[in-house]
């Protein structure tokens, strides 16, 4: 290990290539030999490649010149031959082909591995209606009520925070179903509070941040559902700010959710532990409702 001598300060002996090492002409410097060791192979291979390309180009030039002379004499020179050594430029078409091939490979891989071209993804981006939406319309509250499932031949619509969705494929929204009470109306408040019988209204005044987040959750649920799709918007008349806020169906939650009752005169404010238990209970209830929907 001669390289250790340089670390100790001893003079390093110069490397002498064995005489038995095969050598070839140096393609860059005339009258010079270089060995065919592994370190020189990329350089030698590239030089051989360039020599081959030059030979092919010169042969093509000769054929092109012969063809041009025939054409000048009025003879048939045949089709013009492209230069076999010309560099191929990557254009937009080449990039598009690569993208198409990549998509095909991904789809076929999904079909082979999971049995689904989309790898079992069934969200909104896998639905044709996302890219080719049907004509959406503006509903009045009276018109929306006509699509509650009670009239044969009509689809079933529900609205949440102004967005109207077709939920005809959901058995729970059909007459007699557990969520038929939500059909034909914008019951945004009910999605946040869970009071499906008494909060069939779009009035969201006085809701807590937790309840508002629940409405956002359900809006995403309908927007991303594979069977439900948006058909329009519902126009609501303005809410009178002096009108009373709907009371909560659960008296215990009424004190916590209605800011008008959240005053210093409250007899027994809710403890932090009870608030956490209430949030956990609401989260479990909404998860159960999602499974049923």
């Amino acid at each position: 290990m001669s390289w250790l001598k340089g670390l100790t300060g001893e003079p390093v002996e110069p490397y002498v290539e064995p005489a038995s090492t095969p050598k070839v002409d140096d393609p860059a410097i005339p009258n010079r030999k270089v060995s065919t060791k592994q370190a020189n192979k990329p350089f030698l291979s590239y030089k051989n490649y360039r020599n081959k390309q030059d030979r092919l180009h010169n042969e093509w030039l000769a054929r092109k010149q012969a063809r041009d002379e025939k054409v000048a004499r009025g003879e048939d020179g045949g089709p013009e031959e492209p230069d076999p050594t010309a560099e191929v430029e990557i254009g937009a078409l080449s990039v598009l082909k690569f993208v198409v091939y990549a998509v095909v490979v991904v789809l076929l891989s999904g079909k082979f591995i999971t049995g689904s071209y989309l790898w079992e993804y069934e969200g909104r981006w896998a639905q044709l209606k996302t890219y080719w939406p049907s004509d959406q319309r503006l509903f009045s509250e009276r018109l929306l009520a006509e699509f509650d499932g009670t009239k044969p031949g009509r689809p079933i619509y529900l609205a949440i925070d102004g967005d109207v969705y077709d939920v005809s494929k959901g058995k729970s929204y059909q007459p007699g179903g557990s969520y038929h009470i939500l059909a034909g109306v914008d019951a945004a408040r009910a999605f946040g509070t869970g009071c499906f019988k008494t909060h069939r209204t779009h009035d969201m005044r006085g809701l807590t941040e937790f309840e508002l987040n629940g409405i956002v959750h359900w809006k995403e649920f309908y927007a991303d559902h594979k069977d439900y799709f948006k058909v329009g918007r519902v126009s609501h008349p303005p809410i009178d700010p002096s009108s009373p806020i709907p009371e909560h169906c659960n008296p215990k939650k009424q004190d916590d959710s209605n800011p008008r009752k959240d005053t210093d005169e409250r007899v027994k404010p809710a403890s932090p532990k009870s608030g956490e238990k209430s949030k956990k209970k609401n989260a479990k209830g909404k998860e159960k409702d999602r499974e049923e929907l």
Side-chain angles (χ1 to χ4, degrees), residues 188-202:
R189 189 180 189 88
F191 284 99
T193 62
C195 302
F196 295 109
K197 292 184 178 180
T198 59
H199 283 181
R200 298 176 71 245
T201 175
H202 64 286

Side-chain angles (χ1 to χ4, degrees), residues 221-260:
F221 169 79
Y222 288 106
D224 297 334
H225 202 282
K226 64 177 182 178
D227 293 329
Y228 309 148
F229 55 93
K230 186 177 178 180
V231 294
R233 295 273 301 175
V234 57
S235 176
H236 297 293
I239 299 175
D240 184 0
S242 62
S243 62
I245 295 178
E247 295 186 358
H248 204 288
C249 58
N250 186 342
K252 294 182 179 179
K253 294 182 179 180
Q254 174 67 21
D255 291 339
D256 296 333
S257 62
N258 194 333
R260 294 188 177 184

Side-chain angles (χ1 to χ4, degrees), residues 29 45 79 153 161 178 201 207 213-214 221 234 249:
I29 303 176
S45 299
D161 195 20
S178 56
T201 175
L207 294 182
N213 290 335
F221 169 79
V234 57
C249 58

Side-chain angles (χ1 to χ4, degrees), residues 67-92:
R67 178 185 177 278
D68 293 342
E69 292 176 355
K70 288 183 178 181
V71 172
R73 294 194 299 267
E75 301 177 2
D76 183 13
E80 185 176 359
E81 180 183 354
D83 185 357
T85 62
E87 295 183 357
V88 180
E89 296 184 0
I90 300 178

Side-chain angles (χ1 to χ4, degrees), residues 256 270-279:
D256 296 333
S271 64
K273 291 185 178 180
S274 63
E276 293 177 0
K277 292 181 180 179
S278 176
K279 290 183 178 180

